Amino acid sequence: MDLQKDRHPNSKLPWIQTTLSEELLRLSPDQLTEGIFRVPGDSDEVNVLKARYDQWRPPTEGTDPHILASLLKLWYRELYEPLIPHQFYERCVDSYADAVAAVTVVADLPQLNRMVLSYLVLFLQKFASPDVAAVTKMDANNLAMVMAPNCLRCTSTDPQVLFNNARREVGFMRLLIQHLDTGVVEGIA
């Protein structure tokens, strides 16, 4: 947020997050593609688009949706600290089957993390809507599966822990997509 304060002083959320999300939400039904977020965009084109964003230049008209989606996932994945800080990780994976507990974890996050996560979940809720999911084949479960690794980072190196927690991370994200009240970020950019 410090990097954007001169260019976007009134923005409450990261510019790249809102700009990429809005570009994807603007897509017409015929521009949506099956497997968006699951099918990766061309890595060279993703890097070109990333360089544009690093220079505060939004994408050009007609950018491949897979490129936009890949860059959005990359942005979450490359955050210095994960969107859900390490100290909340165990609570997240422990609440993978309890919607109330999962929502409570979000309420306890630092304000900026809570706002950014809520905006992401609002975005995913829109993509999980039946009319969009019918085209993309990306329902709440599929969206949770591709986004959880970008928001939660297990610090264990034990393969069994990583395997078991991956399922729980997806469950936690799915509960947020299905149950988190995102009204607090509706219309915020």
Side-chain angles (χ1 to χ4, degrees):
M1 294 298 291
D2 287 340
L3 294 175
Q4 75 179 31
K5 68 181 173 189
D6 292 336
R7 292 181 185 268
H8 303 282
N10 298 322
S11 191
K12 293 179 168 77
L13 293 166
W15 173 79
I16 188 169
Q17 178 191 27
T18 58
T19 304
L20 280 169
S21 298
E22 289 167 7
E23 286 295 318
L24 285 162
L25 290 171
R26 261 194 283 272
L27 295 173
S28 63
D30 61 313
Q31 293 174 302
L32 291 172
T33 61
E34 187 173 320
I36 193 160
F37 294 108
R38 185 179 43 79
V39 176
D42 178 80
S43 61
D44 291 335
E45 290 185 46
V46 172
N47 287 328
V48 167
L49 186 59
K50 183 179 182 207
R52 285 185 61 85
Y53 270 92
D54 287 346
Q55 298 169 358
W56 303 96
R57 294 177 14 222
T60 57
E61 185 88 13
T63 301
D64 179 347
H66 293 287
I67 305 298
L68 296 169
S70 292
L71 182 56
L72 185 61
K73 285 177 19 181
L74 179 66
W75 180 77
Y76 287 112
R77 191 170 50 253
E78 288 187 344
L79 289 172
Y80 179 72
E81 183 172 318
L83 182 53
I84 298 173
H86 294 296
Q87 66 264 31
F88 293 89
Y89 181 83
E90 287 302 321
R91 287 180 57 198
C92 293
V93 295
D94 288 345
S95 64
Y96 77 100
D98 181 346
V100 173
V103 169
T104 300
V105 172
V106 175
D108 292 343
L109 292 174
Q111 182 180 3
L112 181 58
N113 297 70
R114 184 174 60 251
M115 296 291 285
V116 171
L117 180 61
S118 295
Y119 189 87
L120 168 61
V121 172
L122 172 63
F123 171 79
L124 295 174
Q125 288 169 341
K126 291 177 181 180
F127 258 85
S129 68
D131 56 322
V132 176
V135 175
T136 65
K137 309 298 187 234
M138 296 297 288
D139 60 13
N141 191 59
N142 291 335
L143 289 167
M145 194 174 304
V146 297
M147 292 307 287
N150 301 300
C151 300
L152 293 150
R153 292 187 203 146
C154 183
T155 58
S156 176
T157 57
D158 180 339
Q160 188 64 42
V161 171
L162 292 170
F163 179 77
N164 289 337
N165 283 2
R167 175 178 56 87
R168 292 173 175 210
E169 291 172 6
V170 170
F172 174 78
M173 284 300 294
R174 181 179 48 250
L175 286 177
L176 295 185
I177 294 168
Q178 294 170 335
H179 299 284
L180 185 67
D181 178 1
T182 54
V184 68
V185 293
E186 191 92 42
I188 290 181

